[in-house]
Amino acid sequence: MALSTTNAQVIDILKPKSSAPGLWSPNVGPETVGLLKHLDLPDDESRKLVRDQALSVLSRCVSPQDLGGHQTGLVVGYVQSGKTMSFTTVTALALDNGFPIIIVIAGTSKPLFWQSEKRLKDDLRLNDRDDHKWKHFSNPKTNARASIESALAEWRDPAVSVNARQTVLITVMKNHTHLRHLNALLKVLSLKDVPILVVDDEADQAGLNASVNKGELSTTYRCLVELRQLLPHHTFLQYTATPQAPLLINLIDVLSPRFAEVLEPGKAYTGGKEFFAGHLKLARTIPDADIPTKDHPLTSPPESLLLAMRLFYLGVAAGYVHSEQPKGNRSMMVHPSQKTVPHMVYYNWVNQAQKQWVAILQQGKNNPDRKDLLAEFKEAYDDLCTAVPNIPSFDALADKLSRAVRNTHVIEVNSKQVTGTPEINWKNDYAHILVGGQAMDRGFTVEGLTVTYMPRTTGVGNADTVQQRARFFGYKMGYLGYCRVFIEDSAHKAFKAYVDHEEHIRKQLKEHRASAKPLTEWKRAFFLEPNLRPTRASVLDMPYIRDNYSDSWFRPTAPHDAPDATETNRTIVEDFLADLVLVPDEGHKARTETQRHTVASDVPLADVFSKLLLPLRMTRPNDSQHFTGLLLQVQQYFDKHPNAVCTVYHMSGGRERERSVDNQDKVKNLFQGAHPDKSGAIYRGDQYIRNNEQLTIQIHNLQVQTPDGNFSNVPAIAVWVPREMSKAWLSQNQGAS
């Protein structure tokens, strides 16, 4: 029996604000309206942004009115930008639109799970409301069967109005034990006609198949696959700020997304662009001498750590200047390494400095130690003055320093403690300094974080892992000038490089979403600096290539591969050449006819890109991947230099040039060599036919001789990229056109 959705009450009917249509148009009902009123948002514009983006996300999901089917979607935000708020709003919308069951998978550790669950329960007001719209189950087992079945029975009964029905909300930790319990429960429920929404928070972590290269299924991944098999009618929404892994896993993987939504943050958000590409110098490199290593242990707290603490305490003092009982929190995070031993060392250093400073600041104003300490704080104050408008005077802050230092709660956040990772009670204290490693990585929220001290390297350099350490991002515009990030040199460079990488991926996903094409047709190619890897290799079974054309040539290896592509490229080239004014190139008078070319100078790069390069087809996978990378480089250069020009050569004036192939059916030598010998006295060779200062296009017309026959009039395009257009990229071929 199909679920009844009669008597639905809605407050507003809105279509998602998007340039591409969704599968259906969700309604904004009382649950969503109530949530948006409850959320701590600054204004109606912010509420509208959250609402419209949630509508857009849900519109891409399988409609609850459909008879079945499944969908996988990727929702991409920034680190600390409000992804939890987004999927909470989507959850409320799902209730308004007739989803009887919503499953939220969150947290790979107990503290992270509790943090996410508490946030969801608080925002949905589960413990504070008088109605019974929600039935919540936390890490349920089969003993929840009867209660869930009674809720589903109400949905199947047309005599029960929509307003009287309950939506089942299941929160489950992303852990194989809890997921197995959930799957056991789902097996005994009748779900054939039940539309279900599944939200996977931090979807790139833990759930993907980490054993794919062994031909096996990792434990948690196996549980998620089984979960999806148990749901005949569902959408699986993957939320993350680092989408590299979900985008690069094999398209045939059940967790490979079929659509992507990109979330825009609120106007007060500060992320990589503000911290690493803005005009404020908020990020500082920790000197090598201040970073302990096996060969260079530290016996006392490094000066950069003490400077970071002084900057932090001045920010706390500013809070006390503005109010005797300041609202919110101010926090500092010391994040030395994944290993647990160094945590205690840094924890002791912070405690020792705090106790020493409290004692000194309580001395009389003429005490020499107090004067020296205040002089050090004055240097930190001068630093803050460069970024904080209307900062209180130093004397005003100095009066509050003793209280600021004394009242700051120092906590070691270590998952290996006997009692487990401590839960921070943010209400008890205004100021905190947290010292820890892995427990403060991905997903951990630090309230009011202003100063971060992170003397750890990038490790193996996985871009997504590095970015997830950016706990210092968030809604900080109101106090951004007080924020500082102290990081190791390689990490500093990695974060800075990630800004361009992240913005490029987001831009591509938004453009592809506007095309209304499935994500399976998106070309997996984006900028990524050589010192970073996109993600951990264990979850990828599809290879990718990396390159950067810089004072070098792109040359196709198999332009004759597919007759239909050859015919298409022939038409593209003929149409392009028809608009050019070509003249004989200069050179030695003894050149052969083959060595005499025609050339067009100062051709607008916009025309070359749009009329020749962009529509051109490459059929050999390796050629396609490299050509896609080339297009990325040309596009980004053109975006910055819209009036750029280039040089176009029609090699041999369009006469056919004979070429043979090797045992892999690749053209052996596209370029003719030097003539009459290696000195190139008459002709230096095709590779030197270029304008060293501009992008140069060579259009070849080939007769390709293969064991299976000859292919005539085959166009082949070679491209010279000057160093000015250098940009490292990654490309993966999964058959996208």
Side-chain angles (χ1 to χ4, degrees), residues 287 290 300-310 376 379 453 486:
D290 286 3
S300 60
E303 173 55 30
S304 55
L305 172 62
L306 298 177
L307 171 60
M309 292 178 65
R310 290 193 289 269
E376 293 175 339
E379 292 180 7
Y453 189 82
F486 290 77

Side-chain angles (χ1 to χ4, degrees), residues 144-288:
R145 174 181 181 176
S147 183
I148 295 176
E149 284 182 335
S150 69
L152 294 179
E154 298 281 273
W155 281 90
R156 293 186 174 100
D157 186 350
V160 178
S161 71
V162 169
N163 294 331
R165 297 168 185 165
Q166 288 181 288
T167 292
V168 174
L169 175 63
I170 295 173
T171 51
V172 60
M173 184 173 165
K174 197 184 295 186
N175 167 278
H176 61 89
T177 299
H178 293 296
L179 287 170
R180 282 172 178 157
H181 289 320
L182 174 59
N183 288 346
L185 170 62
L186 296 175
K187 286 178 182 177
V188 298
L189 296 173
S190 177
L191 301 174
K192 182 179 179 181
D193 56 352
V194 181
I196 296 175
L197 178 68
V198 182
V199 174
D200 182 5
D201 189 22
E202 304 291 356
D204 61 304
Q205 185 190 31
L208 300 180
N209 188 9
S211 300
V212 65
N213 292 304
K214 301 176 184 178
E216 302 172 358
L217 304 181
S218 53
T219 308
T220 303
Y221 173 79
R222 185 190 300 274
C223 293
L224 291 178
V225 171
E226 182 183 16
L227 182 148
R228 299 200 63 181
Q229 291 171 341
L230 293 169
L231 308 179
H233 182 184
H234 79 279
T235 296
F236 193 86
L237 281 181
Q238 303 169 315
Y239 269 79
T240 183
T242 47
Q244 293 85 352
L247 290 172
L248 293 175
I249 62 174
N250 200 312
L251 291 180
I252 65 173
D253 193 307
V254 68
L255 296 187
S256 178
R258 266 38 186 175
F259 71 83
E261 289 285 315
V262 178
L263 301 177
E264 295 298 336
K267 55 189 175 183
Y269 178 75
T270 56
K273 288 183 287 188
E274 288 75 23
F275 278 90
F276 296 100
H279 67 281
L280 299 178
K281 295 182 179 179
L282 304 177
R284 310 294 169 81
T285 300
I286 300 173
D288 291 342

Side-chain angles (χ1 to χ4, degrees), residues 464-699:
D464 49 1
T465 301
V466 172
Q467 185 70 351
Q468 286 290 352
R469 292 177 187 159
R471 301 294 97 198
F472 42 85
F473 294 165
Y475 287 87
K476 305 176 185 294
M477 194 61 74
Y479 57 93
L480 183 62
Y482 286 103
C483 296
R484 295 293 185 274
V485 179
F486 290 77
I487 46 180
E488 182 267 346
D489 182 58
S490 68
H492 194 164
K493 292 175 180 175
F495 277 118
K496 195 168 184 177
Y498 194 93
V499 174
D500 190 38
H501 165 70
E502 179 175 49
E503 292 306 311
H504 186 241
I505 286 183
R506 288 172 59 87
K507 179 175 180 287
Q508 286 197 97
L509 290 177
K510 285 187 282 189
E511 289 175 348
H512 190 81
R513 194 247 194 266
S515 74
K517 295 179 180 178
L519 195 60
T520 51
E521 296 185 22
W522 175 61
K523 290 184 177 180
R524 269 66 177 166
F526 40 77
F527 295 128
L528 187 62
E529 289 300 304
N531 60 320
L532 291 175
R533 302 189 307 185
T535 188
R536 57 202 184 281
S538 61
V539 300
L540 303 182
D541 64 337
M542 296 292 289
Y544 57 78
I545 63 171
R546 309 185 67 157
D547 210 335
N548 178 7
Y549 291 106
S550 178
D551 282 351
S552 56
W553 284 98
F554 163 80
R555 287 177 282 183
T557 62
H560 61 292
D561 245 3
D564 59 332
T566 299
E567 181 61 34
T568 298
N569 291 342
R570 189 179 297 128
T571 301
I572 292 168
V573 168
E574 289 173 354
D575 291 345
F576 175 73
L577 289 172
D579 293 332
L580 297 184
V581 178
L582 295 157
V583 299
D585 68 335
E586 297 179 356
H588 199 286
K589 62 181 180 180
R591 287 177 299 162
T592 67
E593 288 298 308
T594 303
Q595 297 160 0
R596 296 175 183 269
H597 319 298
T598 54
V599 59
S601 301
D602 295 333
V603 181
L605 180 58
D607 291 344
V608 171
F609 186 74
S610 63
K611 297 179 181 179
L612 178 64
L613 298 181
L614 201 57
L616 211 62
R617 290 182 59 186
M618 299 284 165
T619 56
R620 187 69 62 97
N622 190 263
D623 286 350
S624 179
Q625 287 177 268
H626 279 89
F627 191 66
T628 298
L630 169 72
L631 292 177
L632 290 181
Q633 289 187 238
V634 176
Q635 176 72 65
Q636 69 90 26
Y637 184 81
F638 173 67
D639 287 344
K640 296 178 181 178
H641 304 87
N643 297 319
V645 294
C646 56
T647 303
V648 178
Y649 284 92
H650 198 193
M651 304 302 287
S652 303
R655 287 179 287 273
E656 277 196 333
R657 312 174 103 198
E658 294 182 359
R659 294 292 184 267
S660 59
V661 297
D662 60 17
N663 57 9
Q664 294 181 317
D665 198 32
K666 295 180 180 179
V667 171
K668 288 181 179 178
N669 295 297
L670 176 63
F671 287 168
Q672 180 176 326
H675 176 76
D677 51 38
K678 291 183 179 180
S679 68
I682 295 177
Y683 186 72
R684 294 184 65 194
D686 287 356
Q687 65 175 316
Y688 294 102
I689 304 302
R690 67 193 189 216
N691 183 331
N692 289 330
E693 306 302 321
Q694 295 180 358
L695 188 83
T696 301
I697 308 291
Q698 287 186 0
I699 300 176

Side-chain angles (χ1 to χ4, degrees), residues 45-234:
E45 181 182 350
S46 300
R47 279 183 281 275
K48 183 176 183 298
L49 177 66
V50 172
R51 181 199 68 188
D52 288 352
Q53 292 188 146
L55 281 166
S56 185
V57 170
L58 194 62
S59 77
R60 307 292 297 280
C61 300
V62 177
S63 169
Q65 302 300 321
D66 291 346
L67 297 179
H70 56 84
Q71 180 67 281
T72 307
L74 180 67
V75 185
V76 182
Y78 288 113
V79 170
Q80 300 284 83
S81 67
K83 296 184 300 299
T84 302
M85 184 181 295
S86 172
F87 71 67
T88 301
T89 309
V90 170
T91 298
L93 269 175
L95 181 148
D96 282 332
N97 286 273
F99 284 85
I101 297 179
I102 300 163
I103 300 172
V104 177
I105 306 168
T108 56
S109 66
K110 290 180 180 179
L112 292 181
F113 172 70
W114 292 332
Q115 174 182 279
S116 297
E117 184 180 65
K118 182 179 184 303
R119 172 77 182 277
L120 188 65
K121 290 170 64 178
D122 288 348
D123 287 346
L124 293 175
R125 294 98 60 218
L126 297 190
N127 297 327
D128 303 321
R129 51 199 294 170
D130 297 328
D131 62 17
H132 299 280
K133 291 296 293 182
W134 295 100
K135 258 191 180 183
H136 176 229
F137 299 89
S138 178
N139 288 320
K141 298 181 181 179
T142 52
N143 57 6
R145 174 181 181 176
S147 183
I148 295 176
E149 284 182 335
S150 69
L152 294 179
E154 298 281 273
W155 281 90
R156 293 186 174 100
D157 186 350
V160 178
S161 71
V162 169
N163 294 331
R165 297 168 185 165
Q166 288 181 288
T167 292
V168 174
L169 175 63
I170 295 173
T171 51
V172 60
M173 184 173 165
K174 197 184 295 186
N175 167 278
H176 61 89
T177 299
H178 293 296
L179 287 170
R180 282 172 178 157
H181 289 320
L182 174 59
N183 288 346
L185 170 62
L186 296 175
K187 286 178 182 177
V188 298
L189 296 173
S190 177
L191 301 174
K192 182 179 179 181
D193 56 352
V194 181
I196 296 175
L197 178 68
V198 182
V199 174
D200 182 5
D201 189 22
E202 304 291 356
D204 61 304
Q205 185 190 31
L208 300 180
N209 188 9
S211 300
V212 65
N213 292 304
K214 301 176 184 178
E216 302 172 358
L217 304 181
S218 53
T219 308
T220 303
Y221 173 79
R222 185 190 300 274
C223 293
L224 291 178
V225 171
E226 182 183 16
L227 182 148
R228 299 200 63 181
Q229 291 171 341
L230 293 169
L231 308 179
H233 182 184
H234 79 279

